[in-house]
Amino acid sequence: MPELPEVEALAGFLRERAVGHAVAKIDVLAISALKTYDPPISALGGLTITAVGRHGKFLDLDVDGLHFVTHLARAGWLRWKDELPTTPLKQGKGPLAMRVHLDNGSGFDLTEAGTKKGLAVYVVRDPADVPGVASLGPDPLADTFTTAALAEILHGRRTQIKGLLRDQRVIAGIGNAYSDEVLHAAKMSPFKIAATLTDDDIATLHDAIVTMLRDAIERSHGLAAGELKVEKKIGLRVHGKAGQKCPVCGDTIREVSFADSALQYCPTCQTGGKPLADRRLSRLLK
């Protein structure tokens, strides 16, 4: 799933290529992906893209005051083309959900692999009209996201820190992959209860969040949209690396499976050498 660094990189990519160009037309192939009807998506035709921003994992194209907001979900992606095909498109069961044509012949496709569809597109007058945007927590790269702000967020929460980091209503933009990376960098168990963190723990966690996200964005800077997925996989140290050696201590990276996802961690770096129990037990093996 694209997370904050990839969405920020996509926003930067589109700022360089799409801003200043008018929307010629938009082909909607997957009707289910379009979540709004007023204004209609056809209202964007002839309007100019003036800015591209990000709200957590949401990508936001400002089109002369209207906003084309998309969430790529688990398996969605944006594929840029300097020259879009002119062949008429047909609705079908393929991955192509939407195609945005710009006035110079370039544009981009929104695609989604797999059968479980979650990609969403909204055309709104204000990004806050998108329910998922309106409910977002603070952006971890904002100046206001200080150590004190994080301490306030964590105060009194009897929730495991892994789940809290992934909750978009608490902190915007961090998903399964970067929560694993952040906790590894902070040398913290994903099962640790948020309310038990000391002041030093919170400072360490804050530094890990900001550093890991900024480093990922920096690695992605200037890359084409099609290269971002590969860069993400290469840059990850523990997520998706179960069975491999931890790059910090050399211990074997382990995994805890959930119903529809999994987390990865290093026992030596994060849990005092103890393997984590099955997620249903929610505690360290003793």
Side-chain angles (χ1 to χ4, degrees):
M1 174 185 289
E3 299 179 33
L4 186 156
E6 294 78 54
V7 178
E8 181 62 37
L10 286 173
F13 181 88
L14 290 177
R15 287 186 199 112
E16 295 179 357
R17 291 162 177 80
V19 168
H21 290 287
V23 174
K25 66 173 181 174
I26 299 178
D27 297 319
V28 180
L29 284 303
I31 300 298
S32 61
L34 185 59
K35 305 302 182 183
T36 55
Y37 63 90
D38 181 26
I41 196 166
S42 59
L44 299 177
L47 302 183
T48 300
I49 299 173
T50 57
V52 183
R54 175 189 59 77
H55 313 282
K57 301 178 190 178
F58 290 84
L59 185 65
D60 177 9
L61 280 69
D62 187 331
V63 190
D64 275 341
L66 294 180
H67 292 262
F68 179 95
V69 180
T70 183
H71 190 288
L72 296 170
R74 182 181 292 272
W77 196 244
L78 184 150
R79 303 182 185 278
W80 176 266
K81 291 181 171 61
D82 289 328
E83 186 174 346
L84 285 172
T86 57
T87 307
L89 296 169
K90 296 181 179 179
Q91 291 188 359
K93 297 182 180 180
L96 181 58
M98 199 168 295
R99 174 167 289 173
V100 177
H101 300 255
L102 302 183
D103 58 1
N104 65 346
S106 68
F108 60 87
D109 292 339
L110 294 178
T111 63
E112 186 172 25
T115 57
K116 188 175 182 180
K117 303 299 183 182
L119 186 145
V121 173
Y122 309 81
V123 179
V124 292
R125 296 176 179 86
D126 186 326
D129 293 336
V130 177
V133 172
S135 64
L136 286 174
D139 191 292
L141 297 185
D143 292 340
T144 53
F145 186 77
T146 61
T147 302
L150 179 59
E152 186 174 346
I153 289 170
L154 300 179
H155 180 71
R157 290 184 181 265
R158 304 297 302 175
T159 307
Q160 292 173 354
I161 193 65
K162 166 72 177 182
L164 199 66
L165 288 176
R166 294 184 61 188
D167 189 338
Q168 300 304 295
R169 299 164 299 178
V170 177
I171 301 174
I174 301 174
N176 196 31
Y178 287 105
S179 58
D180 282 352
E181 297 299 297
V182 164
L183 292 171
H184 179 255
K187 298 186 181 299
M188 191 173 294
S189 168
F191 286 179
K192 191 172 183 66
I193 301 301
T196 66
L197 268 62
T198 65
D199 289 346
D200 286 344
D201 290 337
I202 294 171
T204 298
L205 181 61
H206 178 271
D207 180 68
I209 291 171
V210 175
T211 300
M212 295 303 297
L213 295 178
R214 290 198 182 281
D215 285 353
I217 291 172
E218 181 62 28
R219 292 195 306 269
S220 300
H221 181 70
L223 293 180
E227 299 174 324
L228 292 174
K229 286 185 178 181
V230 174
E231 160 52 36
K232 179 179 181 179
K233 289 182 179 181
I234 292 174
L236 296 173
R237 300 192 299 180
V238 292
H239 183 77
K241 311 287 187 181
Q244 300 182 30
K245 289 186 177 181
C246 170
V248 174
C249 71
D251 194 2
T252 300
I253 296 169
R254 300 194 181 220
E255 178 173 282
V256 176
S257 297
F258 300 81
D260 60 352
S261 64
L263 67 82
Q264 289 81 40
Y265 69 99
C266 170
T268 295
C269 291
Q270 297 174 253
T271 60
K274 298 179 181 179
L276 291 173
D278 182 273
R279 176 62 180 82
R280 291 169 296 179
L281 299 179
S282 300
R283 66 176 183 267
L284 291 175
L285 285 174
K286 294 182 179 180

